[in-house]
Amino acid sequence: MFELPQPFFLNALAAGAALAIVAAPLGCIIVWRRMAYVGETLAQSSLLGVALGLSLGIDLTLAVVIAAVATAAILIGFGRQKLLALDSVLGLMHHAALALGVVAIAVLKGPSIDLMSYLFGDVFAVTTIDLLWVYIGGAVILALTLQLWRPLVRLSLHEDLATAEGIHPSIPRAIFDILLAITIAVAMKIVGILLVMAFLIVPAVAARPLATTPERMAIIAAVIGVASVFVGLGLSLYTDAPGGPSIVLAMCAAAILSLLVMGRRAG
Amino acid sequence: MSNTKLHVSDEHRHDHAHDHDHAHDDACGCGHTHSRQLDNHALVSARGLAFSRHGRTILSGIDLDVRPGEIVTLIGPNGAGKTTLVKLVLGIESPDSGTVLMPPSTRIGYVPQRFDVQRAIPMTVAHFLALGQNAAPGAITAALKDVGAERTANQQLSQLSGGETQRVLIARALLRNPNLLVLDEPARGVDYVGEADLYDLIGRIRDERKLGVLLISHDLHVVMAKSDRVICLNGHVCCSGQPETVAQHAEYARLFGPQAASALGVYLHHHDHAHDLSGAPKPMRAGDQDNRGR
């Protein structure tokens, strides 16, 4: 007969689905603002957070949040200088952060630590405490994102127009960067450092051809994200493939399908 | 001692001779040297604005007033700092020195120069109009109708033509119920007929709503036809005044170089047309006819 899912599987589903919903509007704004590289840098600085957590003996998620937020603060500072395009700075920073993280973990703890679980996530190891992080943190992030939604859409659309109409550009953006850092730190657990940006961006890309307004794009991205979590984890359960990459694969399949079928029509 | 002094003042004069335009300013007497006091009755009033970027001076010593009901046009060559000046006035950029006074009663409607719609953002025209303000659906339809773009309501912003985009941007600006409309090269990417229609629309909006208009344009003929005041800009105010005054100013001719004559030809042509309607044609200059004949 039908087998009841194991608790670890339910935990993974609950965490993944919640994160997919939180990630959807953020992912849309990342796509609109073309800041995938910023997210990548935040994600790869997470490994430094892991090293920090291990060396200080504090909660790893908290340590990763601290590292990501600190990186976001540095990036906000870099955004103010106009000598170099942010892209060039990020190109250097995100590789440096990854390399430094790997070296720091190796030096601190020896090679016994499972680097793979940080790089690609370990969704089936999600604990009840992790779930708490996801739900409380996720609710706060979602609430703040919705609060900032209109200014962020207007700034993404045309910064000068939004500014002339009285929106101060740097405040919503700085808050958004910090929200993004926290989201990445929390989502890292599930899909890992290397795939967390895909988790954020791919559902938004998949939703773009299907949407006519910014809000619909975010909602469709959330639906695609949640569906991909279910499909990916189901696939993972029956094939023993790793969970995080399976979710991302399902998302990518949705994006390719959407772009192929609808892309031409939506233009 | 007196020799040295003389030498210094000589050098001083030499420095200013480089700044050719300042000399002209004094000569023409219509520049920014007139009133240094901020105008409290203006929709926006600026005095002594200076702005530089990467160590390069873009604007200096700029005075600007826009009063209710008047169309003030900024003209000037590429890189003259027209868009920068508008950004200073709107508070998008901050001046290095100088003051911008904008009374709380001033409500701005802004039509930016470049509106390269990011196709990554799905956005219907109606949604775009609703995004800036809490307008009723009826108001959105009415605003689109007002600018002759009612058919675009359900289209994606990225699929509009240049002229349609400008009209939608103007509709959006009008929805904010502004008393100061700021348009940065509104005819950009619009064909010649569309351009004339667009400036007619701007003139009509001014007449109907009695709002002040600050317009950037390099289309000299339109500037002459519709403006109450023209400010000729090239890093500083070269000359300003009524369109006819500015058109005859030596500085204006120098600034626009060989193109000035032909542009003026277009202007006169347009002006002829405008005057035909009201029955008072204006003679053309021989030089312009020459130029046009080629």
Side-chain angles (χ1 to χ4, degrees):
Chain A
M1 283 301 289
F2 192 75
E3 242 182 291
L4 266 177
Q6 299 287 310
F8 76 86
F9 187 72
L10 289 178
N11 272 359
L13 273 184
L19 266 178
I21 291 169
V22 173
L26 295 172
C28 291
I29 292 166
I30 295 170
V31 169
W32 299 335
R33 286 178 56 192
R34 302 170 195 206
M35 53 180 295
Y37 238 169
V38 172
E40 211 60 82
T41 308
L42 295 177
Q44 307 207 346
S45 71
S46 302
L47 209 53
L48 274 175
V50 173
L52 181 80
L54 290 175
S55 68
L56 297 179
I58 58 172
D59 182 82
L60 285 189
T61 308
L62 182 67
V64 169
V65 168
I66 292 170
V69 169
T71 309
I74 294 171
L75 291 181
I76 291 166
F78 264 123
R80 299 236 168 91
Q81 62 90 31
K82 296 197 169 147
L83 187 62
L84 273 175
L86 192 57
D87 262 17
S88 323
V89 179
L90 294 177
L92 180 141
M93 269 184 76
H94 86 108
H95 292 300
L98 183 64
L100 194 60
V102 172
V103 168
I105 287 179
V107 168
L108 282 169
K109 270 284 180 177
S112 64
I113 194 155
D114 183 14
L115 206 54
M116 286 298 275
S117 74
Y118 293 111
L119 293 180
F120 294 105
D122 197 355
V123 65
F124 293 121
V126 167
T127 63
T128 315
I129 292 177
D130 293 333
L131 263 185
L132 219 61
W133 264 105
V134 168
Y135 273 79
I136 295 173
V140 172
I141 293 167
L142 195 61
L144 285 170
T145 309
L146 294 182
Q147 194 67 34
L148 285 174
W149 180 253
R150 275 167 77 105
L152 284 171
V153 170
R154 287 166 70 180
L155 283 169
S156 305
L157 196 65
H158 199 286
E159 180 168 332
D160 283 352
L161 186 58
T163 311
E165 290 173 357
I167 295 174
H168 201 290
S170 53
I171 296 165
R173 289 194 163 167
I175 297 173
F176 174 80
D177 286 1
I178 288 164
L179 291 182
L180 179 60
I182 298 171
T183 308
I184 287 170
V186 175
M188 193 196 89
K189 203 94 183 181
I190 293 175
V191 283
I193 288 162
L194 295 181
L195 291 176
V196 64
M197 280 314 284
F199 188 86
L200 279 153
I201 289 177
V202 176
V205 171
R208 170 61 189 97
L210 307 169
T212 52
T213 68
E215 290 73 31
R216 282 185 202 158
M217 181 162 154
I219 290 167
I220 294 170
V223 170
I224 290 174
V226 172
S228 299
V229 167
F230 278 77
V231 170
L233 289 182
L235 198 78
S236 168
L237 193 65
Y238 287 104
T239 62
D240 256 357
S246 299
I247 294 172
V248 170
L249 266 186
M251 287 174 169
C252 289
I256 291 168
L257 205 67
S258 157
L259 290 170
L260 281 181
V261 175
M262 303 292 294
R264 198 173 307 186
R265 205 201 66 175
Chain B
M1 188 66 188
S2 68
N3 251 352
T4 318
K5 215 174 177 180
L6 188 69
H7 185 65
V8 168
S9 81
D10 250 0
E11 257 187 5
H12 190 67
R13 195 165 352 135
H14 184 71
D15 281 348
H16 270 265
H18 271 296
D19 213 343
H20 190 93
D21 308 319
H22 270 291
H24 263 287
D25 212 12
D26 295 338
C28 96
C30 61
H32 55 271
T33 45
H34 268 188
S35 59
R36 300 295 300 174
Q37 206 94 48
L38 285 158
D39 185 345
N40 289 317
H41 302 293
L43 294 164
V44 65
S45 180
R47 289 293 176 276
L49 294 184
F51 184 80
S52 56
R53 191 182 282 131
H54 306 312
R56 203 185 120 229
T57 301
I58 294 171
L59 292 169
S60 62
I62 307 285
D63 296 352
L64 178 78
D65 297 304
V66 184
R67 297 179 196 92
E70 71 171 353
I71 297 184
V72 176
T73 304
L74 291 172
I75 57 170
N78 281 336
K82 303 186 293 285
T83 295
T84 305
L85 176 54
V86 162
K87 286 186 178 182
L88 292 178
V89 166
L90 293 176
I92 296 171
E93 306 263 15
S94 305
D96 298 337
S97 62
T99 317
V100 177
L101 175 74
M102 191 179 286
S105 58
T106 298
R107 289 182 312 280
I108 288 189
Y110 175 43
V111 177
Q113 179 182 32
R114 287 174 177 274
F115 198 80
D116 303 324
V117 184
Q118 280 213 46
R119 291 159 72 97
I121 308 181
M123 184 75 74
T124 62
V125 167
H127 197 85
F128 174 60
L129 294 190
L131 197 60
Q133 51 279 311
N134 296 316
I140 289 171
T141 314
L144 283 174
K145 206 165 201 161
D146 204 17
V147 300
E150 61 268 38
R151 282 174 307 162
T152 64
N154 293 317
Q155 285 182 36
Q156 284 287 304
L157 215 50
S158 56
Q159 288 172 332
L160 301 180
S161 71
E164 284 171 334
T165 305
Q166 293 302 333
R167 282 166 190 273
V168 166
L169 285 170
I170 292 172
R172 189 177 188 280
L174 291 180
L175 263 181
R176 298 173 61 82
N177 197 22
N179 53 7
L180 174 58
L181 191 59
V182 180
L183 306 112
D184 192 346
E185 302 231 2
R188 195 187 178 86
V190 179
D191 62 39
Y192 184 75
V193 178
E195 193 179 319
D197 288 348
L198 208 55
Y199 282 108
D200 283 345
L201 172 67
I202 293 165
R204 178 169 65 75
I205 288 168
R206 188 273 307 262
D207 296 342
E208 285 174 4
R209 298 182 179 235
K210 311 279 183 246
L211 37 69
V213 177
L214 177 60
L215 179 71
I216 291 185
S217 180
H218 59 234
D219 311 300
L220 301 179
H221 61 294
V222 182
V223 168
M224 302 307 167
K226 297 274 181 209
S227 303
D228 299 301
R229 224 145 40 79
V230 174
I231 296 171
C232 191
L233 195 73
N234 191 22
H236 60 279
V237 178
C238 298
C239 56
S240 70
Q242 298 202 321
E244 294 77 12
T245 321
V246 171
Q248 282 155 22
H249 199 268
E251 187 60 23
Y252 165 85
R254 190 195 68 86
L255 207 55
F256 288 96
Q259 283 120 16
S262 67
L264 210 57
V266 177
Y267 147 60
L268 285 172
H269 172 77
H270 188 86
H271 209 109
D272 269 347
H273 179 69
H275 274 254
D276 280 343
L277 292 175
S278 62
K282 216 179 169 181
M284 289 182 97
R285 284 188 190 172
D288 298 327
Q289 273 168 336
D290 239 344
N291 196 302
R292 283 153 50 92
R294 269 169 219 165

